[in-house]
Amino acid sequence: MLEVIHISDTHFGPDRSLDIRGANACARSEALVSEILNLPFVPDFIVHTGDVVNDPDSGAYQLAAEVLSQLPAPVYYATGNHDDVPMMRAALDFGEMGLIVPEEKEQLCYRIGGAAGEMDFFVVDGKVPPGEGPHGFVSENQMEAVINAISGEKPVAVFLHYPLTPIGSTWIDQHLLVKNGRDFQDRLAEKAGSHLRGIFSGHLHRGLQIYRNGVLQSGVSSPACEFTAGPTDQSCDFLPGGPIPFNHITFSKDATTVKSYSLPFG
Ligand SMILES: [Fe+2]
């Protein structure tokens, strides 16, 4: 059994002063870390599904490293549309991992190592070139790398910044999903079969629960600010000052359990 904490979208600024519509991003991430430290167990590892910082900046990553290094278990990071791979790798400590795509391509695609040995956990980079986002896209070389790395004998879970499947909200479905998400899920399912235990994402700044073809897709919100998501929204607004969110995922022999926590700030 593995206990995993899923966090996302911390949006650290270059210093502690960054407010997003009046909500202080750093203070709210510090509250997130405190809540995880207060859990009555120590997780096996923690996955941050991207947007570590609000804008790529070495000072922002240093601040993120200072705060997130207090977490009680190895941390693994996915690339968000606000992130920069070389800056992330330079500033942040990752747990034991193995790249499955060469890093010179500036794609961060790897297998989670360490305690994750009883499962195949992968972190995939869906970032598109600057100016083309904020949707995502999973490159062919990453798809091939992940598919080839799936043993077919262990449970499989994938983490990436961007959700794969429409949620029924116009603006989000047009702008925030992985463009080739259906293809990616179908190819994962074809190789992993019933071993595919879930696909986990951030980016929406709100929770997500979807089953498509029997596969769980789960998302966690942002401690910095939530997004609105009405069914006919043509844009996306912020709901700053909301709760501090994280998900506790338990992978057991025959179940994937996601407990979503929303805790008061302050
Ligand atoms: Fe974000």
Side-chain angles (χ1 to χ4, degrees):
M1 191 163 80
L2 289 168
E3 307 283 12
V4 178
I5 297 297
H6 178 196
I7 63 176
S8 202
D9 296 89
T10 43
H11 284 265
F12 282 93
D15 57 45
R16 291 176 180 272
S17 69
L18 177 71
D19 287 343
I20 299 176
R21 302 276 184 94
N24 184 271
C26 182
R28 296 176 66 80
S29 284
E30 288 175 317
L32 173 70
V33 170
S34 292
E35 296 293 358
I36 295 169
L37 286 166
N38 285 336
L39 287 168
F41 65 93
V42 177
D44 291 292
F45 59 89
I46 295 163
V47 185
H48 185 314
T49 45
D51 284 1
V52 177
V53 301
N54 203 47
D55 289 299
D57 176 278
S58 58
Y61 281 109
Q62 287 301 330
L63 180 58
E66 179 186 329
V67 173
L68 299 175
S69 66
Q70 298 168 53
L71 286 165
V75 187
Y76 297 90
Y77 298 89
T79 313
N81 52 306
H82 289 254
D83 287 316
D84 175 272
V85 170
M87 285 187 190
M88 286 174 76
R89 296 287 282 146
L92 300 172
D93 279 334
F94 286 61
E96 186 182 327
M97 48 97 104
L99 293 171
I100 59 172
V101 170
E103 196 156 351
E104 63 263 25
K105 293 181 187 298
E106 290 198 7
Q107 282 182 339
L108 194 52
C109 181
Y110 58 95
R111 177 198 292 276
I112 293 176
E118 62 192 76
M119 283 184 63
D120 284 333
F121 284 100
F122 300 100
V123 177
V124 173
D125 189 335
K127 188 177 177 182
V128 298
E132 292 184 19
H135 67 267
F137 186 84
V138 178
S139 62
E140 181 61 29
N141 63 326
Q142 288 187 95
M143 282 211 213
E144 275 190 26
V146 172
I147 299 304
N148 289 337
I150 290 173
S151 68
E153 295 168 358
K154 296 179 182 178
V156 176
V158 174
F159 292 83
L160 77 170
H161 185 59
Y162 310 81
L164 303 186
T165 299
I167 70 164
S169 183
T170 307
W171 190 88
I172 283 176
D173 290 348
Q174 287 179 352
H175 295 283
L176 297 188
L177 308 182
V178 175
K179 290 287 188 193
N180 54 344
R182 286 179 74 92
D183 185 33
F184 184 43
Q185 184 189 330
D186 290 347
R187 288 173 69 179
L188 288 171
E190 186 180 2
K191 179 71 183 282
S194 60
H195 289 305
L196 185 54
R197 298 288 293 277
I199 298 162
F200 300 88
S201 56
H203 197 31
L204 298 191
H205 288 225
R206 56 187 306 113
L208 171 75
Q209 305 87 31
I210 292 178
Y211 287 89
R212 178 175 166 264
N213 286 344
V215 175
L216 167 67
Q217 295 179 38
S218 169
V220 68
S221 189
S222 160
C225 63
E226 285 215 324
F227 285 171
T228 59
T232 58
D233 284 352
Q234 294 304 313
S235 64
C236 190
D237 206 352
F238 296 132
L239 295 169
I244 302 298
F246 64 93
N247 285 357
H248 168 201
I249 311 168
T250 303
F251 296 98
S252 62
K253 190 166 180 285
D254 59 359
T256 302
T257 307
V258 181
K259 299 177 192 168
S260 292
Y261 291 96
S262 288
L263 299 166
F265 175 64

